[in-house]
Amino acid sequence: DRPAPATAGLSHDKWEIDPSELVLMEELGSGQFGVVRRAKWRGYMDTAVKMMKEGTMSEDDFIEEAKVMTKLQHANLVQLYGVCSKHRPIYIVTEYMRHGSLLNYLRRHEANLTCNIGLLLDMCIQVCKGMAYLEKHNYIHRDLAARNCLVGSENIVKVADFGLARYVLDDQYTSSGGTKFPIKWAAPEVLNYTRFSSKSDVWAYGVLMWEIFSCGKMPYGRLKNTEVVERVQRGIILEKPKACVKEIYDIMCNCWAQSPEERPSFRALKEELHIVSQGLI
Ligand SMILES: CCC(=O)Nc1cccc(Nc2nc(Nc3ccc(OCCOC)cc3)ncc2F)c1
């Protein structure tokens, strides 16, 4: 089939996409970073274009990193096709996922998901495969959560926005004291020393598993960030979701070991989840 934009782009820098080849369509969402719209590339390829509001990201550093990110290719990663960096705002052009964020998908389909433990586990396994690929390439996500995963056709789930957190300028997002910092997905060493690693991604993955088996509930309910930090530091962990069997909850709990070394790698998690999924049949 036809090549993805990045490889087929006419410009010499293959991560640079010519904006004249994009036809912008409906808005998919917006946030502090700007607006995301669906776009057709060269009239046939569905893409998602994130139009970065000026001042929200350190753009030159990101454009440099985009060269690396376009090389990260896996069935469970939302593919970065390239960037349009010759104008402002810059565009980040990625693969389009037709069902939107995993968080909204879980909330919208709660009814027929709670009874389908096999499908929930399959979503966990797909995210784990994408994360095992990043781990193998020594690439840390830094903001893994259901809101940053996307759903395509046939319940395909992919990890999005890996590594992007490094380029956010709003320090309410980046510093663990900030009001927008994702405290509820942060490992103790991230809360205390902002020490990110693939093992802090594993902690966040445990919370993501909890989100999946809770069909999109907010972890720790309406507890304030300070109360969550206090609990996490005292080793109090999230309770078992109703729709979750003990074997699966045990795997989540392994992801919440206080010391990063005690947490399993994504590679090990993939094996454990596969064994549990075999046992379910
Ligand atoms: C962190 C905030 C952030 O990025 N937010 C954010 C918002 C919107 C879209 C994206 N990104 C992508 N979206 C899609 N598909 C998509 C499809 C439907 C949809 O339905 C919205 C209305 O539902 C009734 C939303 C998204 N494919 C690739 C993306 F990359 C990221």
Side-chain angles (χ1 to χ4, degrees), residues 27-31 33 36 48 50 78 94-101 104 108 147-148 150 160-161:
E27 182 176 317
L28 298 171
S30 63
F33 56 88
V36 185
K50 202 177 264 196
V78 173
T94 71
E95 171 183 7
Y96 171 74
M97 301 290 284
R98 60 197 291 261
H99 292 300
S101 86
N104 291 339
R108 269 206 311 269
R147 65 179 173 278
N148 285 332
L150 290 158
D161 289 343

Side-chain angles (χ1 to χ4, degrees), residues 136-155:
K136 194 172 71 182
H137 288 77
N138 300 314
Y139 209 90
I140 305 167
H141 190 296
R142 290 179 174 80
D143 193 9
L144 181 60
R147 65 179 173 278
N148 285 332
C149 292
L150 290 158
V151 184
S153 17
E154 290 107 46
N155 292 311

